[in-house]
Amino acid sequence: MSTALSAEHDWWRDAVVYQVYIRSFADGNGDGTGDLAGLRSRLGHLARLGVDALWINPWYPSPLADGGYDVADYRAINPMFGDTAQAEAFLTEAHEHGLRVLLDIVPNHHSDEHEWFRAALAAGPGSPERDRYVFRDGRGEFGEVPPNNWESMFGGPAWQRVVGADGRPEQWYLHLFDVRQPDVNWENPEVRADFETTLRFWFDRGVDGFRIDVANAMVKQDGLPDLVENVNDVQDGGHPYLDRDGVHDVYRSWRRIGDSYDPPRVFVAEAWVPDPQRLARYLRPDELQTAFGFNFLTAAWLADDLRNNIDDAIAENTAVGAPATWVLSNHDVCRHPSRLAREPEAGRGWNLVDVAGLPADPELGLRRARAATLLMLALPGTAYLYQGEEFGLPEVEDIPVDRLDDPTWELSGHTDRGRDGCRVPLPWVAGEPGFGFAATAPTSAPAEPWLPQPPVFARHAADVVEADPDSTLHLYRDALAIRRAHPALGGGGLTWQDSPTGTLAFSRTGDDGSGGFTALVNVSSAPVSLPEDAEVLLTSGPLTARGEVPADTTVWLRS
């Protein structure tokens, strides 16, 4: 399948974007790790699925202390994935398939193997090299106490003390994430200029935009004060390193760079900002175009909770002229079929540690996940899908501890298994080694995938679900085809309709004023009747023998 890439400048307002965790998507050389060759071999699958764009997790050189989010060189390709020539070929081929490409940029921190950080360690205290990072003297009589009480997002202290050339302990550096991810200093002009160079480097090669990692955590408060009790509840810019007002100056400069290209390049922010009004500030007309709406992801599978989060997101985004951006799963959260396999309130958590140990019903979880996906795809704005969710993949909750790769496992003192369960390599062919993860590799004996795949993946393999017309894969294809063809879907407005308790019903109106679409979501425990004379376009699961909508089912209707 080859299609011309649309010239529409505002394609991002109603796009469906597919996230590729490249290490686990497809293995093209048989070494057990996903790569560009594997991704290129599966572009046909993505085009047939019907998505508009791809978001690629970091493909840069990295020691993989944090799955590639510890970047050693932002303007090169990790050799385990390929090289720059292959990346450029992939960009060309993706565009030929009608797929735009977003890369990941990681502006809060570098890898400790980045040449700048090595230079900082060698240069010593007070040097220009150290000013690119957040180095501070310690407290206490001998500087033996960290500069403040901040904790790493992965567990443990957020400070690491370094040893000088004479072998003596000296300054500390800040790492809000893994110890091998030193935070950069966004007050330093060299840091700002270098990231702007990176944006232009990839834009010049045809990249259509960037997803910004930890977009709300780059700027730190002057003086780096201690965290005080309940500071994480601060929603007015008062947190010492989250959602500081200074980040907006950075994004205004990035927007100017993106807008200097034709067509303009776009950004999506990963900003875990729970207050919709604060999140909307990232989306003002001179800043970023889109930001993930994580409140929808964390909402409980309860009608009122879902509706309230949808209303808040639409209202606050509309106020600044931006589309809402919806997501249910990604590389950092427990897959939504497994979250929704628990009691509804458990859906408020997003990590495996939030739901592990709670009773689970996998079949119920998949039924709810299919319903949740049709709900999301019927909403106005942009939607993001995570690789493998079109196969109905569950979270892998029992990876042997000796195979866990996520630094969260070690940094939490072996209490949080981390994010590996959603990063397990995809199953492509049920009857092949590694479920065909390396099916396109030029070898008859590929290496074992880098994370172990559970036996249940056999029933979710691409060839198996392709052969089943009722599979989740066919549901996704059908939903995306209808969404693309129906004039009321994508952009436009939403109007709530009266519906029975425990359900959601809304009609859609396209940007051109067209209508004729209604979605009915049954989140209750009892079947509900369809509106009279309704024409069913698609259902997330079978209707009852009486033609009613059963619990945990979404129906799309022509109205």
Short mmCIF file of all heavy atoms in Angstrom, two decimals, residues 11-12 15 17-20 53-60 90-91 95 99-105 203 206-212 265-268 290 292 382 384:
data_model
loop_
_atom_site.label_atom_id
_atom_site.label_comp_id
_atom_site.label_asym_id
_atom_site.label_seq_id
_atom_site.Cartn_x
_atom_site.Cartn_y
_atom_site.Cartn_z
N TRP A 11 -2.74 18.40 10.19
CA TRP A 11 -3.05 16.96 10.25
C TRP A 11 -3.08 16.45 11.69
O TRP A 11 -3.82 15.51 12.01
CB TRP A 11 -2.00 16.18 9.45
CG TRP A 11 -0.60 16.32 9.99
CD1 TRP A 11 0.32 17.25 9.65
CD2 TRP A 11 0.02 15.50 10.98
NE1 TRP A 11 1.49 17.08 10.37
CE2 TRP A 11 1.32 16.01 11.20
CE3 TRP A 11 -0.40 14.38 11.71
CZ2 TRP A 11 2.22 15.42 12.10
CZ3 TRP A 11 0.48 13.80 12.62
CH2 TRP A 11 1.78 14.33 12.81
N TRP A 12 -2.31 17.06 12.55
CA TRP A 12 -2.17 16.60 13.93
C TRP A 12 -3.42 16.85 14.77
O TRP A 12 -3.53 16.31 15.87
CB TRP A 12 -0.97 17.31 14.58
CG TRP A 12 -0.91 18.78 14.28
CD1 TRP A 12 -0.27 19.38 13.23
CD2 TRP A 12 -1.54 19.84 15.00
NE1 TRP A 12 -0.46 20.75 13.26
CE2 TRP A 12 -1.24 21.06 14.34
CE3 TRP A 12 -2.33 19.87 16.16
CZ2 TRP A 12 -1.70 22.29 14.80
CZ3 TRP A 12 -2.79 21.10 16.61
CH2 TRP A 12 -2.48 22.28 15.93
N ALA A 15 -5.31 13.34 14.14
CA ALA A 15 -4.55 12.17 13.73
C ALA A 15 -4.67 11.02 14.73
O ALA A 15 -4.94 11.22 15.91
CB ALA A 15 -3.08 12.54 13.57
N VAL A 17 -2.02 8.28 16.01
CA VAL A 17 -0.57 8.07 15.99
C VAL A 17 -0.26 6.74 16.68
O VAL A 17 -0.80 6.45 17.75
CB VAL A 17 0.16 9.23 16.70
CG1 VAL A 17 1.67 9.05 16.58
CG2 VAL A 17 -0.27 10.58 16.13
N TYR A 18 0.61 5.97 16.07
CA TYR A 18 0.98 4.65 16.57
C TYR A 18 2.37 4.73 17.17
O TYR A 18 3.33 5.12 16.50
CB TYR A 18 0.95 3.65 15.42
CG TYR A 18 1.21 2.20 15.77
CD1 TYR A 18 0.14 1.30 15.88
CD2 TYR A 18 2.49 1.72 15.92
CE1 TYR A 18 0.37 -0.05 16.15
CE2 TYR A 18 2.74 0.38 16.20
CZ TYR A 18 1.68 -0.51 16.31
OH TYR A 18 1.91 -1.84 16.58
N GLN A 19 2.50 4.35 18.43
CA GLN A 19 3.79 4.41 19.11
C GLN A 19 4.58 3.14 18.88
O GLN A 19 4.11 2.03 19.12
CB GLN A 19 3.59 4.60 20.62
CG GLN A 19 4.91 4.64 21.39
CD GLN A 19 4.73 4.64 22.90
OE1 GLN A 19 3.62 4.75 23.38
NE2 GLN A 19 5.82 4.52 23.63
N VAL A 20 5.83 3.31 18.41
CA VAL A 20 6.75 2.20 18.17
C VAL A 20 7.85 2.21 19.22
O VAL A 20 8.68 3.14 19.24
CB VAL A 20 7.37 2.29 16.76
CG1 VAL A 20 8.42 1.19 16.57
CG2 VAL A 20 6.28 2.17 15.69
N ALA A 53 0.29 8.39 11.60
CA ALA A 53 1.66 8.75 11.93
C ALA A 53 2.23 7.74 12.90
O ALA A 53 1.50 6.96 13.54
CB ALA A 53 1.72 10.16 12.53
N LEU A 54 3.56 7.76 13.02
CA LEU A 54 4.28 6.90 13.95
C LEU A 54 5.07 7.78 14.91
O LEU A 54 5.64 8.80 14.51
CB LEU A 54 5.25 5.98 13.21
CG LEU A 54 4.68 5.18 12.04
CD1 LEU A 54 5.80 4.36 11.38
CD2 LEU A 54 3.55 4.26 12.51
N TRP A 55 5.09 7.37 16.18
CA TRP A 55 6.00 7.99 17.15
C TRP A 55 7.02 6.91 17.52
O TRP A 55 6.65 5.83 17.96
CB TRP A 55 5.23 8.49 18.37
CG TRP A 55 6.03 8.57 19.64
CD1 TRP A 55 7.36 8.84 19.78
CD2 TRP A 55 5.55 8.34 20.98
NE1 TRP A 55 7.74 8.81 21.11
CE2 TRP A 55 6.64 8.50 21.86
CE3 TRP A 55 4.29 8.02 21.51
CZ2 TRP A 55 6.51 8.34 23.25
CZ3 TRP A 55 4.17 7.87 22.89
CH2 TRP A 55 5.27 8.03 23.75
N ILE A 56 8.31 7.24 17.31
CA ILE A 56 9.38 6.29 17.55
C ILE A 56 10.06 6.64 18.88
O ILE A 56 10.57 7.75 19.06
CB ILE A 56 10.44 6.33 16.43
CG1 ILE A 56 9.76 6.30 15.05
CG2 ILE A 56 11.43 5.19 16.59
CD1 ILE A 56 8.98 5.08 14.75
N ASN A 57 10.08 5.69 19.81
CA ASN A 57 10.83 5.91 21.05
C ASN A 57 12.32 6.09 20.73
O ASN A 57 12.76 5.77 19.63
CB ASN A 57 10.62 4.74 22.01
CG ASN A 57 9.24 4.77 22.64
OD1 ASN A 57 8.36 3.99 22.27
ND2 ASN A 57 9.03 5.64 23.60
N PRO A 58 13.12 6.61 21.65
CA PRO A 58 14.49 7.02 21.32
C PRO A 58 15.28 5.94 20.57
O PRO A 58 15.39 4.81 21.02
CB PRO A 58 15.10 7.29 22.70
CG PRO A 58 13.95 7.78 23.51
CD PRO A 58 12.79 6.93 23.06
N TRP A 59 15.85 6.33 19.43
CA TRP A 59 16.66 5.43 18.62
C TRP A 59 18.12 5.86 18.61
O TRP A 59 18.91 5.42 17.80
CB TRP A 59 16.10 5.32 17.22
CG TRP A 59 16.03 6.59 16.39
CD1 TRP A 59 16.52 7.84 16.69
CD2 TRP A 59 15.43 6.71 15.09
NE1 TRP A 59 16.25 8.73 15.66
CE2 TRP A 59 15.59 8.08 14.67
CE3 TRP A 59 14.78 5.82 14.25
CZ2 TRP A 59 15.12 8.54 13.44
CZ3 TRP A 59 14.30 6.29 13.03
CH2 TRP A 59 14.48 7.62 12.63
N TYR A 60 18.49 6.71 19.54
CA TYR A 60 19.83 7.30 19.58
C TYR A 60 20.82 6.37 20.29
O TYR A 60 20.44 5.49 21.06
CB TYR A 60 19.78 8.64 20.33
CG TYR A 60 18.62 9.52 19.96
CD1 TYR A 60 17.57 9.74 20.86
CD2 TYR A 60 18.54 10.13 18.71
CE1 TYR A 60 16.49 10.54 20.52
CE2 TYR A 60 17.47 10.95 18.36
CZ TYR A 60 16.45 11.14 19.28
OH TYR A 60 15.38 11.94 18.95
N PHE A 90 14.10 4.74 6.19
CA PHE A 90 12.83 4.50 6.88
C PHE A 90 11.91 5.71 6.76
O PHE A 90 10.71 5.57 6.48
CB PHE A 90 13.08 4.18 8.35
CG PHE A 90 11.91 4.47 9.24
CD1 PHE A 90 10.78 3.67 9.20
CD2 PHE A 90 11.92 5.56 10.11
CE1 PHE A 90 9.68 3.95 10.00
CE2 PHE A 90 10.84 5.84 10.91
CZ PHE A 90 9.71 5.03 10.86
N LEU A 91 12.45 6.91 6.94
CA LEU A 91 11.62 8.11 6.84
C LEU A 91 11.01 8.23 5.44
O LEU A 91 9.82 8.54 5.30
CB LEU A 91 12.46 9.35 7.15
CG LEU A 91 12.89 9.51 8.62
CD1 LEU A 91 13.95 10.61 8.74
CD2 LEU A 91 11.69 9.84 9.50
N HIS A 95 6.90 7.83 4.70
CA HIS A 95 6.16 8.87 3.98
C HIS A 95 5.49 8.31 2.73
O HIS A 95 4.37 8.71 2.38
CB HIS A 95 7.10 10.02 3.63
CG HIS A 95 7.51 10.84 4.81
ND1 HIS A 95 8.58 11.70 4.80
CD2 HIS A 95 6.98 10.95 6.06
CE1 HIS A 95 8.70 12.31 5.97
NE2 HIS A 95 7.72 11.86 6.76
N LEU A 99 2.57 7.77 6.06
CA LEU A 99 2.77 7.82 7.51
C LEU A 99 3.77 8.91 7.87
O LEU A 99 4.91 8.89 7.39
CB LEU A 99 3.28 6.47 8.02
CG LEU A 99 2.37 5.27 7.79
CD1 LEU A 99 3.13 3.97 8.05
CD2 LEU A 99 1.14 5.36 8.68
N ARG A 100 3.36 9.85 8.68
CA ARG A 100 4.30 10.83 9.21
C ARG A 100 5.07 10.20 10.37
O ARG A 100 4.66 9.19 10.93
CB ARG A 100 3.56 12.08 9.66
CG ARG A 100 3.02 12.90 8.48
CD ARG A 100 2.27 14.12 8.96
NE ARG A 100 1.96 15.04 7.87
CZ ARG A 100 0.92 14.92 7.05
NH1 ARG A 100 0.06 13.91 7.24
NH2 ARG A 100 0.71 15.78 6.08
N VAL A 101 6.18 10.85 10.76
CA VAL A 101 7.05 10.28 11.79
C VAL A 101 7.39 11.34 12.83
O VAL A 101 7.86 12.43 12.49
CB VAL A 101 8.35 9.73 11.17
CG1 VAL A 101 9.27 9.20 12.27
CG2 VAL A 101 8.03 8.62 10.16
N LEU A 102 7.14 11.00 14.08
CA LEU A 102 7.56 11.80 15.23
C LEU A 102 8.68 11.05 15.94
O LEU A 102 8.58 9.84 16.16
CB LEU A 102 6.41 12.02 16.21
CG LEU A 102 5.09 12.55 15.66
CD1 LEU A 102 4.09 12.70 16.80
CD2 LEU A 102 5.27 13.87 14.94
N LEU A 103 9.73 11.75 16.32
CA LEU A 103 10.79 11.17 17.14
C LEU A 103 10.59 11.58 18.60
O LEU A 103 9.76 12.44 18.92
CB LEU A 103 12.16 11.64 16.65
CG LEU A 103 12.56 11.27 15.23
CD1 LEU A 103 14.01 11.68 14.98
CD2 LEU A 103 12.37 9.79 14.96
N ASP A 104 11.37 10.98 19.45
CA ASP A 104 11.36 11.30 20.87
C ASP A 104 12.56 12.19 21.16
O ASP A 104 13.67 11.92 20.68
CB ASP A 104 11.49 10.01 21.69
CG ASP A 104 10.58 9.96 22.89
OD1 ASP A 104 10.53 10.97 23.61
OD2 ASP A 104 9.94 8.93 23.12
N ILE A 105 12.37 13.25 21.91
CA ILE A 105 13.49 14.06 22.37
C ILE A 105 13.45 14.09 23.90
O ILE A 105 12.38 14.17 24.51
CB ILE A 105 13.47 15.48 21.77
CG1 ILE A 105 14.81 16.17 22.01
CG2 ILE A 105 12.29 16.31 22.28
CD1 ILE A 105 15.04 17.39 21.15
N PHE A 203 14.64 17.65 11.70
CA PHE A 203 13.66 18.28 10.80
C PHE A 203 14.21 18.35 9.37
O PHE A 203 13.48 18.13 8.40
CB PHE A 203 13.30 19.68 11.29
CG PHE A 203 12.45 19.72 12.53
CD1 PHE A 203 12.41 20.87 13.32
CD2 PHE A 203 11.67 18.63 12.91
CE1 PHE A 203 11.61 20.93 14.45
CE2 PHE A 203 10.87 18.68 14.05
CZ PHE A 203 10.85 19.83 14.82
N GLY A 206 13.58 15.28 7.37
CA GLY A 206 12.21 14.90 7.04
C GLY A 206 11.35 14.48 8.21
O GLY A 206 10.20 14.09 8.01
N VAL A 207 11.87 14.53 9.43
CA VAL A 207 11.05 14.19 10.60
C VAL A 207 9.93 15.22 10.74
O VAL A 207 10.16 16.42 10.56
CB VAL A 207 11.93 14.12 11.86
CG1 VAL A 207 11.09 14.08 13.12
CG2 VAL A 207 12.84 12.90 11.80
N ASP A 208 8.74 14.74 11.06
CA ASP A 208 7.56 15.61 11.08
C ASP A 208 7.27 16.24 12.44
O ASP A 208 6.40 17.11 12.53
CB ASP A 208 6.33 14.79 10.65
CG ASP A 208 6.50 14.23 9.25
OD1 ASP A 208 6.38 15.00 8.29
OD2 ASP A 208 6.79 13.02 9.12
N GLY A 209 7.98 15.81 13.48
CA GLY A 209 7.74 16.40 14.79
C GLY A 209 8.43 15.60 15.88
O GLY A 209 9.15 14.63 15.61
N PHE A 210 8.18 16.01 17.12
CA PHE A 210 8.80 15.36 18.28
C PHE A 210 7.78 15.17 19.40
O PHE A 210 6.93 16.04 19.64
CB PHE A 210 9.95 16.21 18.85
CG PHE A 210 11.24 16.06 18.12
CD1 PHE A 210 11.60 16.95 17.11
CD2 PHE A 210 12.13 15.04 18.43
CE1 PHE A 210 12.80 16.83 16.44
CE2 PHE A 210 13.33 14.90 17.76
CZ PHE A 210 13.67 15.80 16.76
N ARG A 211 7.91 14.06 20.07
CA ARG A 211 7.29 13.88 21.38
C ARG A 211 8.34 14.28 22.40
O ARG A 211 9.50 13.86 22.32
CB ARG A 211 6.86 12.42 21.56
CG ARG A 211 6.31 12.06 22.94
CD ARG A 211 7.38 11.46 23.82
NE ARG A 211 6.85 10.87 25.06
CZ ARG A 211 7.60 10.40 26.04
NH1 ARG A 211 8.92 10.44 25.95
NH2 ARG A 211 7.05 9.87 27.11
N ILE A 212 7.96 15.12 23.36
CA ILE A 212 8.91 15.68 24.33
C ILE A 212 8.79 14.91 25.63
O ILE A 212 7.76 14.93 26.31
CB ILE A 212 8.64 17.16 24.57
CG1 ILE A 212 8.63 17.93 23.24
CG2 ILE A 212 9.69 17.74 25.52
CD1 ILE A 212 8.13 19.36 23.38
N ARG A 265 6.56 21.80 11.54
CA ARG A 265 6.76 20.60 12.35
C ARG A 265 5.97 20.73 13.66
O ARG A 265 5.66 21.84 14.10
CB ARG A 265 8.23 20.37 12.63
CG ARG A 265 9.14 20.32 11.41
CD ARG A 265 8.62 19.47 10.27
NE ARG A 265 9.68 19.15 9.31
CZ ARG A 265 9.62 19.37 8.02
NH1 ARG A 265 8.54 19.94 7.49
NH2 ARG A 265 10.62 19.03 7.22
N VAL A 266 5.67 19.60 14.27
CA VAL A 266 4.75 19.61 15.41
C VAL A 266 5.38 18.96 16.64
O VAL A 266 6.37 18.23 16.55
CB VAL A 266 3.42 18.91 15.06
CG1 VAL A 266 2.77 19.54 13.85
CG2 VAL A 266 3.64 17.41 14.81
N PHE A 267 4.75 19.22 17.80
CA PHE A 267 5.23 18.68 19.07
C PHE A 267 4.05 18.12 19.86
O PHE A 267 2.94 18.64 19.80
CB PHE A 267 5.90 19.78 19.91
CG PHE A 267 7.10 20.41 19.26
CD1 PHE A 267 6.99 21.60 18.54
CD2 PHE A 267 8.34 19.82 19.37
CE1 PHE A 267 8.09 22.19 17.95
CE2 PHE A 267 9.46 20.41 18.78
CZ PHE A 267 9.33 21.59 18.06
N VAL A 268 4.35 17.08 20.63
CA VAL A 268 3.40 16.58 21.62
C VAL A 268 4.16 16.44 22.93
O VAL A 268 5.27 15.90 22.97
CB VAL A 268 2.76 15.24 21.19
CG1 VAL A 268 3.79 14.16 20.93
CG2 VAL A 268 1.74 14.77 22.24
N THR A 290 0.20 19.99 20.88
CA THR A 290 -0.58 18.96 21.58
C THR A 290 0.15 18.49 22.84
O THR A 290 1.37 18.64 22.97
CB THR A 290 -0.83 17.73 20.67
OG1 THR A 290 0.42 17.19 20.24
CG2 THR A 290 -1.67 18.10 19.45
N PHE A 292 -0.35 15.06 25.81
CA PHE A 292 -1.12 13.89 26.21
C PHE A 292 -2.06 14.21 27.36
O PHE A 292 -1.68 14.89 28.32
CB PHE A 292 -0.19 12.75 26.66
CG PHE A 292 0.65 12.17 25.57
CD1 PHE A 292 2.03 12.26 25.60
CD2 PHE A 292 0.06 11.54 24.48
CE1 PHE A 292 2.81 11.73 24.60
CE2 PHE A 292 0.83 11.00 23.46
CZ PHE A 292 2.21 11.09 23.52
N THR A 382 -6.91 14.11 18.89
CA THR A 382 -5.86 13.19 18.47
C THR A 382 -5.86 11.98 19.39
O THR A 382 -6.09 12.11 20.58
CB THR A 382 -4.50 13.88 18.54
OG1 THR A 382 -4.56 15.13 17.85
CG2 THR A 382 -3.40 13.04 17.94
N TYR A 384 -3.57 8.35 20.45
CA TYR A 384 -2.31 7.60 20.36
C TYR A 384 -2.57 6.14 20.72
O TYR A 384 -3.22 5.84 21.73
CB TYR A 384 -1.26 8.19 21.30
CG TYR A 384 -0.53 9.38 20.72
CD1 TYR A 384 -1.18 10.60 20.57
CD2 TYR A 384 0.78 9.27 20.30
CE1 TYR A 384 -0.51 11.69 20.01
CE2 TYR A 384 1.46 10.37 19.75
CZ TYR A 384 0.79 11.57 19.61
OH TYR A 384 1.45 12.64 19.07
#
